[in-house]
Amino acid sequence: LNLRNSFGNLFRITTWGESHGPAMGVVIDGCPAGLELSEVDLLALLKRRAPGTSLDVSPRREPDHPQILSGLYKGRTTGAPLSILIENVDAQSNAYQSWEGKHRPGHASYTYLEKYGIYDPRGGGRASARETVCRVAAGAVANKFINENGIKIETSLIQVGLERNPNNFSSYLQTIQQKGDSVGGLVSCRVRGMPIGLGEPIYLKLEAQLASALLSIPATKGFEIGEGFASVEMKGSEHNDFLIDKGSFASNHAGGLLGGISNAETLFFRVPFKPTASIKKIQKTTTYLGEQTELPISEKGRHDPCTAVRGAVVVEAMTALVLADFLLLSRTTRL
Amino acid sequence: LNLRNSFGNLFRITTWGESHGPAMGVVIDGCPAGLELSEVDLLALLKRRAPGTSLDVSPRREPDHPQILSGLYKGRTTGAPLSILIENVDAQSNAYQSWEGKHRPGHASYTYLEKYGIYDPRGGGRASARETVCRVAAGAVANKFINENGIKIETSLIQVGLERNPNNFSSYLQTIQQKGDSVGGLVSCRVRGMPIGLGEPIYLKLEAQLASALLSIPATKGFEIGEGFASVEMKGSEHNDFLIDKGSFASNHAGGLLGGISNAETLFFRVPFKPTASIKKIQKTTTYLGEQTELPISEKGRHDPCTAVRGAVVVEAMTALVLADFLLLSRTTRL
Amino acid sequence: LNLRNSFGNLFRITTWGESHGPAMGVVIDGCPAGLELSEVDLLALLKRRAPGTSLDVSPRREPDHPQILSGLYKGRTTGAPLSILIENVDAQSNAYQSWEGKHRPGHASYTYLEKYGIYDPRGGGRASARETVCRVAAGAVANKFINENGIKIETSLIQVGLERNPNNFSSYLQTIQQKGDSVGGLVSCRVRGMPIGLGEPIYLKLEAQLASALLSIPATKGFEIGEGFASVEMKGSEHNDFLIDKGSFASNHAGGLLGGISNAETLFFRVPFKPTASIKKIQKTTTYLGEQTELPISEKGRHDPCTAVRGAVVVEAMTALVLADFLLLSRTTRL
Amino acid sequence: LNLRNSFGNLFRITTWGESHGPAMGVVIDGCPAGLELSEVDLLALLKRRAPGTSLDVSPRREPDHPQILSGLYKGRTTGAPLSILIENVDAQSNAYQSWEGKHRPGHASYTYLEKYGIYDPRGGGRASARETVCRVAAGAVANKFINENGIKIETSLIQVGLERNPNNFSSYLQTIQQKGDSVGGLVSCRVRGMPIGLGEPIYLKLEAQLASALLSIPATKGFEIGEGFASVEMKGSEHNDFLIDKGSFASNHAGGLLGGISNAETLFFRVPFKPTASIKKIQKTTTYLGEQTELPISEKGRHDPCTAVRGAVVVEAMTALVLADFLLLSRTTRL
């Protein structure tokens, strides 16, 4: 049921809002009744995603204070939909006026305009990464649910441009930013405490739904699980993994699943983010009318030198949503 | 709507059948009315997938002659569901008896058994790659529909184990097979003639649905589009692409889409297949009861040394299904 | 997820086949693993639906012997899709040639032709009530599952035309049939042993999904639950029902549910069937080209004088499918 | 895709909010891009539904001023989700405290409590008819879209309790209300300007989806289309309808459709509403703990003597949503 602005089957979210509209929001439908929940539970994850919190990331300052408008009674979920609203406080639409009528390279203006015949250019409108604040808010709820089932997700940024030493990431990114440029990044995720049995073959395999979840995040360009692309160069005798004991495998080359179903081993996968499209350098482009032109140096737009820095928490949120959904689905496969 | 054994939204398939059951089948719902179609249209793609056609692939011999049991009238689709049935002729269940009660490394017996409490071990049952014959039959129908819209998919095997020269693939795989081992492979796909506007943000982006489709194929371990994982090391000024003219971009680093929507450039992506799990070498394993044992050398099982050889056509089929679905969805986004 | 040829969410069917094609079929996806099942389990319900079994119903003789082609291992469901195929043996397409090119009153030829641009007229093609054999086969599986959960469905025909005395139904229908005419019928359904909690507000209320299920049966023209249309004339003080004890209500005017959720009382509802459209009398009509004409007296077509006679078992089958689906959904609403 | 709090397939709504929470809301996903829209377009329909506007209906006074928070740019829809929020201003939770811990007859407290293990009793929480404000807001958008396609929906209240003369409805209802009681009502709907081809057989027939839509409205207990229940007593030769000319039938007994697909004739159907459950009379009941008790006379609760009065506009809204969805689906059935 990943359809347009909804994601998930039994634990399902629907998001709405534009970067420079009055607010962003998400409706969670199917969160099990009885979960203790308040706005406070959302803050930790939202803070990790928030812009303006370090030199590495966009200086746009959003308090990102979520309001839960429905679905709670006496501090617990009731089974009714949870509506979460987050106001857009620091949208500065005029900062974007310099490129009005011009396609910004790497942005979605061209495809949106051709597809819908209309495009909200303010901050990227619906195509903006601002939408991910909704995923993170919802992911925090999903995370709480799966945590209570013993599942724990950890994400880390393992590469930024050419730099693979996390200690150097910050200074590396400052240099990139000072040059008015950006770089890509690689996010790694490990999920511990996985039960056996999550994933619904044939077309809702765990890795298939994860891939769908992660490729829906702006700027992601791939997904690999277990040995991933490296498995191409491996032999079967090398890659094949054998069960040692209940839920414990010799090598876990497969990355925590077999046949699309979790095997209780640690789930691990990686997601590459392309370099941030919004840079300050002069770039060639065309106008909406098709004339060749240049994009002037942006003075005011506020952007991350590397989207993967904040992308890691979005990966975590989407993973939580996938696992919460599969936890519920897994209750329905036996008599 | 990728739910268990169904894939797709408006152009949707549901597959059924086990490797050693009487037949495999697929129901296609939502194929537009009026398409000229007969069994002959399915043969080309099915033949490319068929086992037993060269030294490189499994010697199991299935005629794979599809019967279309519904949905046609006077050689054209009527809008009613198309039911396609393919008999299993050459299933040799006794070939598998030597490992009865033992988990074969890299196979799904353990997770299926834990999830469902029951597992059909004959040829891998539902988890067998035999299921992909249904995808290919349905993909051939989808392919015919998208071809009529000017879209053309090409897949190629670009790496087999350590070998990147296609001229050497055959001899390389023979060597691997003689050793009783297997290797992985890398499939590349290019789609030409793409219209602008395929893909439905935010959660049904073109790349997200492609990733879901391709990761649902047995043995696939990843997906990357455009520059993919390599984009991590690129700069924004290098990766950013600009529109030259309607549907024509300077570099196409993005791989044919922006913001989850096709931009009329060639769509391109890659999918890694892990080495075939079924090998002839002696391997450690455990029994269904948890005792450590060895898997004896398989004498009779018939398997591919590299699943990617036949996997390429399955990639093509799944891609066709995704694009047919998006073509229909794209008719519904404007007034 | 009631979409075109699929019905249901977690327990989901997809049907295919035309009245005069080689076979009819249904794929059941989501049937829980571990259910004992064989073709024999389907026969009782199929026999009740079968044509040619009494004077009251169509003399078309179909053995309706179902083949289960997948999803079973050692006599139990495995969680894989169940594919059931039923051959069309007694289709006599030439019986229908007399009205070729003419719209038969009460039939779907006109709307199908306008919607799809193509129409298979043989026996009504996809629009034929022959399709309900698939619902009954699948409903038998659902019925077995819900029976194991203590739920028991009973349907009865309570009115045929103007006749409300079941003892007179048979002779009444013979008279109608001899006149070359047909009548409508009213089917009543009671479900005992209902658990509390089936139904998923707000848009998947138990009564809403039942209504959808039953109005999808050919020839049905309505649905009412509890007091139904009669509740219009009742007072609140009269209609309101109070809980006496756990799962026991004073009047059960509501018909077994409150707020869209079953309350453990007997579920009861009624479904009216319009008179069979296929009659032998001369009728006015138009050709496919729009010219006014008459439909000659049918000599060979074989039809029921009252579709509700056989419709009752289809009502039972659809009800079983709805309840099986809700049983599975109800496992996912709490922590 | 009518799943829990979502309704519709391509034109899809998701609603949230409790009667006495801070706000109610609906997210519309799939509204075609390019539709002129502002809050003003929603007011007419919302006003017709509003409480406190006449003697016949509940004196709760809600301004029901909708805010569209997303999905618009320069006064037109962009294809992005429309989020509509309506504040709850006049919720008086203390008015309900007198029955705390007691099941109100005809209400959903018992089933919600048993299903979810938790229940928000304030004004009925999620089970309140207050939720229908969201349907009406969304229905107004759908209505605008279908109006532009020439479709026009008309609903009317044709019976209130025993009264069938609309001129007497108001005085009749005042009498009922003064007695502290309530009555049921019957809503009739006609849709003119229907195109041919709306409805997606087999399981998404026009009447099936309408039935599902209408039975999801609180207090509805049935649905009939065309001759409905009266068709039971008709003969085939009487009920059968023949095509006179393109889109024009002799009798339209079928109510505007054949085989689940609209035939361009006026669509007509009726929906019965049960008497309002909230009355002022003393009633027997049990406490949440199962003890028998009485419900004291309500002094403060504000309710309608007949829900069908305001129900008519909800019927219209749901019908608009169904037709908007089918309009989009109908674009995808041919090559």
Side-chain angles (χ1 to χ4, degrees):
Chain A
L1 301 188
N2 307 349
L3 189 45
R4 289 177 176 159
N5 298 285
S6 293
F7 182 86
N9 299 283
L10 292 176
F11 194 108
R12 193 165 70 254
I13 65 166
T14 302
T15 69
W16 55 269
E18 284 83 23
S19 178
H20 288 204
M24 312 299 296
V26 57
V27 182
I28 305 174
D29 199 7
C31 181
L35 185 72
E36 268 192 70
L37 189 74
S38 77
E39 276 95 351
V40 173
D41 292 303
L42 313 185
L43 296 180
L45 227 57
L46 283 170
K47 196 160 284 176
R48 281 174 48 203
R49 184 203 159 278
T53 51
S54 84
L55 274 174
D56 314 344
V57 297
S58 156
R60 174 169 169 176
R61 299 199 171 272
E62 287 290 352
D64 283 348
H65 191 81
Q67 302 170 56
I68 305 181
L69 297 176
S70 66
L72 293 181
Y73 183 60
K74 296 190 173 175
R76 290 187 181 272
T77 57
T78 63
L82 294 155
S83 172
I84 305 174
L85 187 143
I86 297 156
E87 288 182 29
N88 288 330
V89 174
D90 192 27
Q92 301 182 4
S93 292
N94 57 344
Y96 294 85
Q97 290 177 342
S98 62
W99 51 66
E100 209 179 328
K102 296 179 183 178
H103 293 300
R104 283 187 293 155
H107 285 79
S109 56
Y110 177 65
T111 51
Y112 269 67
L113 206 48
E114 292 286 329
K115 182 179 182 72
Y116 301 107
I118 184 173
Y119 174 65
D120 180 348
R122 297 164 300 177
R126 185 66 185 152
S128 166
R130 176 78 186 137
E131 185 267 346
T132 62
V133 75
C134 299
R135 306 178 186 230
V136 172
V141 179
N143 215 21
K144 188 153 194 197
F145 170 51
I146 65 173
N147 286 173
E148 297 208 349
N149 286 272
I151 300 173
K152 190 131 185 42
I153 305 173
E154 289 163 32
T155 51
S156 52
L157 187 65
I158 58 172
Q159 187 177 348
V160 171
L162 295 162
E163 183 60 61
R164 293 166 194 250
N165 182 346
N167 295 323
N168 300 340
F169 285 177
S170 191
S171 63
Y172 179 82
L173 289 175
Q174 283 184 45
T175 313
I176 295 293
Q177 198 175 33
Q178 279 155 12
K179 292 180 184 164
D181 214 332
S182 65
V183 286
L186 187 60
V187 172
S188 168
C189 182
R190 286 175 188 274
V191 187
R192 301 180 205 281
M194 286 289 294
I196 309 183
L198 302 197
E200 301 286 323
I202 301 295
Y203 297 106
L204 200 63
K205 286 178 173 163
L206 179 47
E207 62 268 50
Q209 184 69 346
L210 279 172
S212 172
L214 299 170
L215 266 296
S216 77
I217 302 173
T220 58
K221 299 301 289 185
F223 169 81
E224 62 176 0
I225 189 153
E227 296 295 332
F229 280 83
S231 65
V232 169
E233 303 196 351
M234 291 174 82
K235 297 240 171 64
S237 55
E238 183 186 359
H239 187 280
N240 270 1
D241 197 10
F242 66 94
L243 183 67
I244 295 174
D245 199 8
K246 203 176 161 54
S248 173
F249 284 77
S251 71
N252 197 21
H253 284 315
L257 46 77
L258 282 167
I261 302 168
S262 68
N263 62 10
E265 270 290 353
T266 298
L267 193 68
F268 73 90
F269 51 86
R270 277 164 302 280
V271 180
F273 285 72
K274 70 171 186 179
T276 316
S278 298
I279 56 174
K280 293 199 181 180
K281 289 195 165 181
I282 291 178
Q283 297 175 87
K284 287 186 184 175
T285 189
T286 56
T287 66
Y288 287 6
L289 302 173
E291 290 155 358
Q292 302 213 5
T293 181
E294 280 190 349
L295 206 64
I297 295 172
S298 159
E299 298 291 344
K300 300 180 234 160
R302 302 154 301 171
H303 303 285
D304 299 337
C306 174
T307 53
V309 174
R310 291 161 63 197
V313 71
V314 185
V315 167
E316 190 169 324
M318 292 308 294
T319 301
L321 289 167
V322 168
L323 297 178
D325 196 28
F326 278 126
L327 265 180
L328 294 175
L329 279 164
S330 72
R331 296 180 185 176
T332 68
T333 43
R334 293 213 199 181
L335 271 195
Chain B
L1 301 191
N2 307 349
L3 188 43
R4 291 178 175 158
N5 298 285
S6 293
F7 181 85
N9 299 284
L10 293 177
F11 194 109
R12 194 166 70 255
I13 64 166
T14 302
T15 69
W16 56 268
E18 284 85 22
S19 178
H20 289 205
M24 312 300 296
V26 56
V27 182
I28 305 174
D29 199 7
C31 181
L35 185 70
E36 267 192 71
L37 190 73
S38 77
E39 276 96 350
V40 173
D41 292 304
L42 313 184
L43 296 180
L45 227 56
L46 284 171
K47 196 160 282 176
R48 280 174 50 202
R49 185 205 158 276
T53 51
S54 84
L55 275 175
D56 314 344
V57 297
S58 158
R60 174 169 170 176
R61 296 195 174 276
E62 289 289 353
D64 283 350
H65 191 82
Q67 302 170 56
I68 304 180
L69 297 176
S70 66
L72 293 181
Y73 183 62
K74 297 190 172 172
R76 289 188 181 271
T77 57
T78 64
L82 294 155
S83 172
I84 304 174
L85 186 142
I86 296 157
E87 287 182 30
N88 288 330
V89 174
D90 192 28
Q92 301 182 3
S93 291
N94 57 345
Y96 293 84
Q97 289 176 344
S98 62
W99 51 66
E100 206 177 331
K102 295 179 183 178
H103 292 299
R104 282 188 293 156
H107 285 79
S109 56
Y110 178 66
T111 50
Y112 269 68
L113 206 48
E114 292 287 328
K115 182 178 183 72
Y116 300 108
I118 183 172
Y119 175 64
D120 180 349
R122 296 166 300 176
R126 184 66 183 150
S128 166
R130 176 78 184 136
E131 185 267 346
T132 60
V133 74
C134 299
R135 306 178 186 228
V136 172
V141 179
N143 215 21
K144 188 153 193 196
F145 171 52
I146 65 174
N147 284 172
E148 297 209 349
N149 286 272
I151 301 174
K152 189 130 186 43
I153 307 174
E154 290 163 31
T155 50
S156 52
L157 186 65
I158 58 172
Q159 186 177 350
V160 170
L162 296 162
E163 183 61 61
R164 292 166 195 252
N165 181 346
N167 295 323
N168 300 340
F169 285 176
S170 191
S171 62
Y172 179 81
L173 289 175
Q174 283 184 47
T175 314
I176 296 292
Q177 196 175 34
Q178 279 155 10
K179 290 180 185 165
D181 215 333
S182 65
V183 287
L186 188 59
V187 172
S188 169
C189 183
R190 282 173 191 277
V191 188
R192 301 180 205 281
M194 287 288 293
I196 308 182
L198 302 198
E200 300 287 323
I202 300 294
Y203 297 107
L204 199 65
K205 286 177 173 162
L206 178 48
E207 62 269 48
Q209 183 70 346
L210 279 172
S212 173
L214 299 170
L215 267 295
S216 77
I217 302 174
T220 58
K221 300 301 291 182
F223 168 81
E224 62 176 358
I225 189 154
E227 295 295 332
F229 280 84
S231 64
V232 169
E233 303 195 353
M234 292 171 82
K235 297 239 171 65
S237 55
E238 183 186 0
H239 187 280
N240 270 0
D241 198 11
F242 65 94
L243 183 68
I244 294 175
D245 198 8
K246 201 174 161 54
S248 174
F249 284 78
S251 72
N252 197 20
H253 284 316
L257 45 77
L258 281 167
I261 301 169
S262 66
N263 62 10
E265 269 291 351
T266 298
L267 193 68
F268 71 91
F269 50 86
R270 279 164 300 280
V271 180
F273 285 73
K274 70 171 187 177
T276 316
S278 299
I279 55 174
K280 293 200 180 179
K281 288 196 165 181
I282 291 178
Q283 296 175 87
K284 286 187 185 175
T285 189
T286 56
T287 66
Y288 285 7
L289 302 173
E291 290 155 357
Q292 302 212 4
T293 181
E294 282 190 346
L295 206 65
I297 295 172
S298 158
E299 300 288 348
K300 300 180 232 154
R302 301 156 301 172
H303 303 285
D304 299 338
C306 176
T307 51
V309 174
R310 290 162 63 199
V313 70
V314 185
V315 167
E316 189 170 323
M318 293 307 296
T319 302
L321 289 166
V322 168
L323 297 178
D325 196 27
F326 278 125
L327 264 181
L328 294 175
L329 280 164
S330 72
R331 296 180 186 176
T332 68
T333 44
R334 293 211 197 182
L335 271 194
Chain C
L1 300 190
N2 306 347
L3 188 44
R4 292 178 174 158
N5 298 285
S6 294
F7 182 84
N9 300 283
L10 292 177
F11 193 109
R12 194 166 71 254
I13 65 166
T14 302
T15 70
W16 56 269
E18 284 84 23
S19 179
H20 288 206
M24 311 299 296
V26 56
V27 182
I28 306 173
D29 199 8
C31 181
L35 186 71
E36 267 193 68
L37 189 74
S38 77
E39 275 96 349
V40 174
D41 291 303
L42 314 184
L43 296 180
L45 227 58
L46 283 171
K47 196 161 284 176
R48 281 174 51 203
R49 184 204 159 278
T53 52
S54 86
L55 274 174
D56 315 344
V57 297
S58 157
R60 173 169 169 177
R61 296 195 174 277
E62 287 289 352
D64 283 350
H65 191 80
Q67 303 170 55
I68 306 181
L69 296 176
S70 66
L72 294 180
Y73 182 62
K74 297 190 172 172
R76 289 187 181 273
T77 56
T78 62
L82 293 155
S83 173
I84 304 175
L85 186 144
I86 296 157
E87 287 182 28
N88 288 330
V89 173
D90 193 28
Q92 302 181 2
S93 290
N94 57 345
Y96 293 84
Q97 290 177 341
S98 62
W99 52 65
E100 207 178 328
K102 296 178 182 178
H103 293 299
R104 284 187 292 156
H107 285 78
S109 55
Y110 177 65
T111 49
Y112 269 68
L113 207 47
E114 291 287 329
K115 183 179 181 71
Y116 300 108
I118 184 172
Y119 175 64
D120 179 350
R122 296 165 300 175
R126 185 66 186 151
S128 167
R130 176 78 185 138
E131 184 268 345
T132 63
V133 73
C134 299
R135 305 178 186 229
V136 172
V141 178
N143 215 20
K144 188 154 195 197
F145 171 52
I146 67 174
N147 286 173
E148 297 208 350
N149 285 273
I151 301 174
K152 188 129 184 43
I153 306 173
E154 289 164 31
T155 51
S156 52
L157 186 66
I158 59 172
Q159 187 176 348
V160 170
L162 295 161
E163 184 60 61
R164 292 167 195 250
N165 181 345
N167 295 323
N168 299 340
F169 285 177
S170 189
S171 62
Y172 179 81
L173 289 176
Q174 283 183 45
T175 314
I176 297 291
Q177 197 176 33
Q178 279 154 11
K179 291 180 185 164
D181 214 332
S182 64
V183 288
L186 187 59
V187 172
S188 169
C189 182
R190 283 175 191 276
V191 188
R192 299 180 207 282
M194 286 289 294
I196 309 181
L198 303 197
E200 300 288 324
I202 300 296
Y203 297 106
L204 200 64
K205 285 178 173 163
L206 179 47
E207 62 269 49
Q209 184 69 346
L210 280 171
S212 171
L214 299 170
L215 265 297
S216 77
I217 301 174
T220 59
K221 299 301 289 183
F223 168 81
E224 62 176 358
I225 189 154
E227 296 295 333
F229 280 83
S231 64
V232 169
E233 302 195 352
M234 292 173 80
K235 297 241 171 64
S237 55
E238 185 186 358
H239 187 280
N240 270 0
D241 196 10
F242 64 94
L243 183 69
I244 294 173
D245 199 8
K246 201 174 161 55
S248 174
F249 285 77
S251 72
N252 196 21
H253 284 317
L257 45 78
L258 282 166
I261 301 169
S262 68
N263 63 9
E265 270 290 352
T266 297
L267 192 68
F268 73 90
F269 52 86
R270 278 164 302 280
V271 180
F273 285 73
K274 69 170 188 179
T276 316
S278 298
I279 56 175
K280 293 200 180 179
K281 288 195 165 182
I282 290 177
Q283 296 176 88
K284 286 187 185 174
T285 189
T286 55
T287 65
Y288 286 6
L289 302 172
E291 291 155 358
Q292 302 213 4
T293 182
E294 282 191 346
L295 206 64
I297 295 172
S298 159
E299 298 289 347
K300 300 180 230 156
R302 302 154 302 171
H303 303 284
D304 300 338
C306 176
T307 51
V309 175
R310 292 161 62 198
V313 70
V314 186
V315 168
E316 190 169 322
M318 292 308 294
T319 302
L321 288 167
V322 168
L323 296 178
D325 196 27
F326 278 126
L327 265 180
L328 293 175
L329 279 164
S330 73
R331 296 180 185 176
T332 67
T333 44
R334 291 209 199 185
L335 269 194
Chain D
L1 301 191
N2 307 348
L3 188 44
R4 292 179 174 159
N5 297 286
S6 293
F7 181 85
N9 298 284
L10 292 177
F11 194 108
R12 195 165 70 254
I13 64 167
T14 302
T15 70
W16 56 268
E18 284 84 23
S19 179
H20 289 205
M24 312 299 297
V26 56
V27 182
I28 305 174
D29 198 8
C31 181
L35 186 70
E36 267 191 71
L37 189 75
S38 78
E39 275 95 351
V40 174
D41 292 303
L42 313 184
L43 295 180
L45 227 58
L46 283 170
K47 197 161 282 177
R48 281 174 49 203
R49 184 205 159 277
T53 51
S54 86
L55 274 176
D56 315 343
V57 298
S58 157
R60 173 169 170 176
R61 297 195 174 277
E62 288 289 354
D64 284 348
H65 191 81
Q67 302 170 56
I68 305 179
L69 298 176
S70 66
L72 294 180
Y73 181 62
K74 296 189 174 175
R76 291 189 179 269
T77 57
T78 63
L82 294 154
S83 172
I84 305 174
L85 186 144
I86 296 156
E87 287 183 28
N88 289 330
V89 173
D90 193 27
Q92 302 182 2
S93 290
N94 57 345
Y96 292 85
Q97 288 177 345
S98 62
W99 50 67
E100 207 180 327
K102 296 177 183 179
H103 293 299
R104 283 187 293 157
H107 285 79
S109 55
Y110 177 66
T111 50
Y112 269 67
L113 207 47
E114 291 287 329
K115 183 178 182 72
Y116 300 107
I118 183 172
Y119 175 65
D120 179 349
R122 296 164 301 176
R126 185 66 185 151
S128 167
R130 176 80 185 134
E131 185 268 346
T132 61
V133 74
C134 299
R135 305 178 187 230
V136 172
V141 179
N143 215 21
K144 187 152 194 196
F145 171 51
I146 66 174
N147 285 173
E148 298 208 348
N149 285 271
I151 301 174
K152 189 132 185 41
I153 306 173
E154 289 163 31
T155 51
S156 53
L157 187 66
I158 58 172
Q159 186 177 350
V160 171
L162 296 161
E163 184 60 60
R164 292 167 194 252
N165 181 345
N167 295 322
N168 299 340
F169 285 177
S170 190
S171 62
Y172 179 81
L173 289 175
Q174 282 184 47
T175 314
I176 296 293
Q177 195 175 37
Q178 278 155 12
K179 291 180 184 164
D181 215 334
S182 65
V183 288
L186 187 60
V187 172
S188 169
C189 182
R190 282 175 190 276
V191 187
R192 301 179 206 282
M194 286 288 294
I196 309 182
L198 302 199
E200 300 288 323
I202 300 297
Y203 297 105
L204 199 64
K205 285 178 173 162
L206 178 48
E207 61 269 51
Q209 184 69 346
L210 279 172
S212 172
L214 299 169
L215 266 296
S216 78
I217 301 174
T220 59
K221 300 301 288 184
F223 168 81
E224 61 176 1
I225 188 153
E227 296 295 333
F229 280 84
S231 65
V232 169
E233 304 194 352
M234 292 173 81
K235 298 240 172 64
S237 54
E238 184 186 358
H239 187 281
N240 270 0
D241 197 11
F242 64 95
L243 182 69
I244 294 174
D245 200 8
K246 202 174 160 58
S248 173
F249 285 77
S251 72
N252 196 19
H253 284 316
L257 46 76
L258 282 166
I261 301 169
S262 67
N263 63 9
E265 271 290 351
T266 298
L267 192 68
F268 73 90
F269 52 85
R270 279 164 301 280
V271 180
F273 284 73
K274 70 171 187 178
T276 316
S278 298
I279 56 175
K280 293 199 180 179
K281 288 196 166 182
I282 290 178
Q283 296 175 87
K284 287 187 185 173
T285 191
T286 56
T287 65
Y288 286 7
L289 302 172
E291 290 155 359
Q292 302 212 4
T293 182
E294 282 190 345
L295 205 63
I297 295 172
S298 158
E299 299 290 346
K300 300 179 233 156
R302 302 153 302 170
H303 304 284
D304 300 337
C306 176
T307 51
V309 175
R310 291 161 63 198
V313 71
V314 185
V315 167
E316 190 170 323
M318 292 307 295
T319 302
L321 288 167
V322 167
L323 296 178
D325 197 26
F326 278 126
L327 265 180
L328 294 175
L329 279 164
S330 73
R331 296 181 185 175
T332 67
T333 44
R334 293 210 198 184
L335 271 194

